[in-house]
């Protein structure tokens, strides 16, 4: 039976292992999270890579957990279609496979043999995908189908973003010692930092005090997680360490994400663009980077202007296409860079949509407005809106941006 997770205690342990010299970070993360994921049928944990074409696991990418379940994951991976892999690996930080597929794992051709072998009726998947495309996935078969409520889905989503940062920090510290930026003492307000400028020091002290409050007794997991943002100013991770008499200091580490360059965007714009292309809301992007939602909105406005797109759906199409193609030579003017959104005719709408819904969904996923679709289809904008509402309901989504992501799968 899955146990309730001590979320803040789990974060402390996961970050502590990330910075401990010689630690096996992934194995430690498995030990921390297993009790809250394992429903009695085991878990499989493995690294994956979304860079390049498709999805990669195995080979130099580690796989841990229960031996039979790991073998099952490998065999399911080999027998799965690209569409299924994209759905499962690009479907968001936490999914239940039944919800993602729309059918029970017992009735899905690729998963039915293994569902029967393990006595599973559903599959819980928590995945932590970095902006670079590298990630770690935690899979747990479940004896009964579950529907995650909003609070649990959000809790795992935020925790997954911390897993991303901890894994990246662990990799950074394996290759350089320059990541340590000093320490902050939230109780006394003292800072001992190599970071230049009074502004960043104030921001780090404020972040440290929020993390200290997250450790206070009586807070719900959601309240505590909301206080402990993943990064501060899209650059630093703060790791809590006990001091004399239980007093805490927080060590500050440089932990800037690497984002592929989709044409002349600034580092901050690249990070926000990639997270938006992964389907994350402004609120989750702000939480991940440790910046305000207003800053995310302003950055997205600049990104849309630079990439000459009008909507989030168009942005997702552009960023995915541009990130997978070589950057232009430096002497090519920004205004003359060709923008490619992918083959317009290449997407097969899901089978549960009617022909009309599928065509409208295809056009909406390309970023066309209701009025533009209505003009092209010779129907009223109200009819377009009704067809899109039906499409969203059938696909279990709620926006054009999510439709654009579905088109890329």
């Amino acid at each position: 039976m899955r146990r309730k997770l001590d979320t803040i205690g789990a974060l402390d342990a996961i970050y502590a292992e990330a910075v401990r010299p010689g630690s096996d970070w992934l194995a430690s993360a498995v030990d921390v999270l297993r009790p809250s994921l394992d429903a009695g049928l085991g878990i499989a944990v493995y690294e994956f890579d979304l860079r390049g074409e498709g999805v990669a696991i195995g080979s130099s990418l580690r796989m841990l957990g229960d031996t039979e379940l790991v073998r099952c994951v490998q065999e399911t991976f080999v027998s799965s279609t690209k569409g299924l892999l994209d759905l499962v690996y690009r479907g968001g930080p936490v999914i239940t496979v039944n919800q993602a597929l729309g059918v029970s794992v017992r009735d899905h051709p690729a998963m039915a043999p293994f569902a029967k072998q393990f006595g599973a009726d559903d599959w819980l998947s928590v995945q932590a995908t970095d902006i670079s495309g590298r990630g770690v996935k935690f899979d747990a078969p479940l004896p009964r189908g579950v529907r995650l409520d909003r609070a649990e889905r959000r809790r795992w989503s935020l925790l997954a973003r911390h897993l991303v940062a901890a894994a990246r920090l662990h990799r950074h510290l394996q290759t350089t010692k320059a990541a340590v930026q000093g320490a902050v003492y939230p109780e006394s307000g003292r800072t001992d930092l190599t970071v230049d400028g009074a502004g960043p020091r104030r921001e780090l002290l404020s972040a440290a005090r929020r993390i200290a409050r997250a450790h206070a007794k009586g807070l719900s997991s959601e309240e505590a997680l909301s206080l402990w943002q993943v990064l501060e100013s899209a650059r630093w991770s703060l790791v809590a360490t006990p001091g004399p008499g239980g007093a805490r200091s927080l060590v500050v580490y440089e932990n800037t994400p690497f984002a592929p360059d989709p044409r002349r965007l600034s580092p901050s714009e690249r990070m926000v663009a990639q997270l938006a292309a992964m389907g994350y809301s402004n609120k989750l992007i702000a939480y991940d980077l440790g910046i305000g939602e207003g800053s995310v909105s302003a950055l997205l406005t600049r990104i849309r202007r630079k990439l000459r797109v009008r909507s989030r759906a168009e942005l997702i199409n552009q960023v995915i296409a541009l990130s997978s193609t070589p950057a232009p030579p430096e002497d090519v003017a920004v205004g003359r860079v060709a923008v490619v959104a992918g083959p317009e005719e290449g997407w097969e709408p899901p089978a549960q949509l009617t022909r009309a819904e599928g065509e409208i969904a295809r056009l909406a996923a390309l970023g066309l407005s209701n009025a533009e679709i209505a003009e092209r289809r010779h129907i009223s904008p109200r009819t377009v809106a009704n067809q899109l509402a039906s499409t969203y309901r059938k696909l279990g989504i709620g926006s054009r941006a999510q439709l654009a992501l579905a088109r890329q799968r």
Side-chain angles (χ1 to χ4, degrees):
M1 182 175 177
R2 293 165 56 212
R3 295 186 217 158
K4 186 175 180 180
L5 181 67
D6 172 7
T7 311
I8 297 303
L11 287 187
D12 281 337
I14 285 167
Y15 278 115
E17 284 299 308
V19 302
R20 186 170 66 84
S23 75
D24 186 340
W25 177 82
L26 187 57
S28 299
V30 173
D31 291 340
V32 170
L33 297 180
R34 178 187 282 274
S36 58
L37 290 172
D38 191 349
L41 303 180
I43 64 170
V45 181
Y46 49 98
E47 297 173 321
F48 63 90
D49 196 335
L50 300 179
R51 295 173 295 181
E53 290 295 322
V55 183
I57 68 170
S59 186
S60 61
L61 301 171
R62 296 183 66 195
M63 303 190 75
L64 300 173
D66 300 279
T67 305
E68 281 301 303
L69 192 55
V70 168
R71 182 187 62 79
C72 157
V73 167
Q74 291 174 312
E75 292 183 10
T76 304
F77 185 91
V78 170
S79 64
S80 296
T81 63
K82 182 180 184 299
L84 175 60
L85 291 175
D86 282 346
L87 181 68
V88 172
Y89 284 84
R90 302 179 193 269
V94 55
I95 63 170
T96 58
V97 176
N98 287 7
Q99 283 181 264
L101 297 177
V103 297
S104 169
V105 291
R106 291 179 179 273
D107 299 322
H108 192 278
M111 302 195 71
F114 306 105
K116 183 177 180 181
Q117 176 184 347
F118 289 97
D121 192 48
D122 203 347
W123 211 276
L124 175 63
S125 180
V126 176
Q127 59 190 46
T129 310
D130 200 358
I131 294 173
S132 66
R134 297 179 64 169
V136 179
K137 194 167 171 53
F138 293 75
D139 279 352
L142 305 175
R144 293 180 301 279
V146 298
R147 191 169 190 87
L148 299 177
D149 62 34
R150 185 173 181 179
E152 185 173 13
R153 186 178 295 278
R154 175 169 169 75
R155 187 161 59 247
W156 279 110
S157 295
L158 299 186
L159 183 61
R161 301 314 303 163
H162 280 284
L163 287 169
V164 168
R168 183 174 60 243
L169 179 59
H170 183 65
R171 290 196 301 271
H172 283 180
L173 291 173
Q174 287 180 314
T175 57
T176 178
K177 295 181 180 179
V180 180
Q181 304 288 296
V184 183
Y185 302 86
E187 292 183 9
S188 66
R190 185 168 66 89
T191 63
D192 181 15
L193 297 166
T194 60
V195 176
D196 292 330
R201 289 170 182 267
R202 283 196 302 270
E203 291 167 358
L204 286 166
L205 179 57
S206 176
R209 284 174 168 162
R210 289 195 303 272
I211 293 172
R213 291 204 304 275
H215 286 81
K217 294 181 180 179
L219 294 180
S220 68
S221 293
E222 290 73 28
E223 291 170 325
L225 275 171
S226 295
L227 288 167
W228 191 342
Q229 291 184 309
V230 177
L231 293 177
E232 173 56 40
S233 304
R235 180 178 174 185
W236 295 293
S237 284
L238 285 79
V239 179
T241 58
R248 285 182 179 272
S249 65
L250 287 105
V251 180
V252 178
Y253 295 88
E254 177 80 36
N255 195 18
T256 306
F258 167 77
D261 179 15
R263 306 300 193 270
R264 305 298 199 281
L265 299 182
S266 72
S268 294
E269 290 165 350
R270 289 202 301 271
M271 286 186 268
V272 169
Q274 289 292 336
L275 288 169
M278 289 162 66
Y280 296 146
S281 65
N282 287 14
K283 189 170 186 176
L284 189 53
I285 294 172
Y287 181 81
D288 192 80
L289 298 179
I291 59 178
E293 285 187 62
S295 297
V296 173
S297 296
L299 286 165
L300 283 170
T301 299
R302 295 211 309 254
I303 292 163
R304 285 196 291 267
R305 186 171 63 247
K306 288 184 178 182
L307 297 185
R308 298 183 177 183
V309 298
R310 298 169 299 173
S311 67
R312 206 178 188 98
E314 283 185 319
L315 173 64
I316 289 170
N317 288 325
Q318 299 284 27
V319 171
I320 291 175
L322 292 173
S323 296
S324 62
T325 57
E330 287 300 315
D331 58 353
V332 177
V334 172
R336 297 176 59 193
V337 173
V339 175
V340 182
E344 186 169 319
E345 302 300 330
W347 182 50
E348 286 293 330
Q352 62 263 49
L353 301 184
T354 66
R355 184 174 179 179
E357 288 169 347
E359 178 60 17
I360 288 173
R362 184 180 68 82
L363 295 172
L366 290 169
L368 274 67
S369 68
N370 285 10
E372 290 168 329
I373 296 171
E375 183 178 358
R376 183 177 292 200
R377 299 271 299 163
H378 305 292
I379 56 178
S380 71
R382 180 182 290 274
T383 300
V384 174
N386 289 339
Q387 296 276 28
L388 280 175
S390 175
T391 296
Y392 293 165
R393 188 170 58 252
K394 288 180 179 180
L395 299 183
I397 61 176
S399 68
R400 270 176 161 78
Q402 290 175 302
L403 196 57
L405 282 171
R407 176 179 174 269
Q408 295 291 342
R409 291 167 187 161

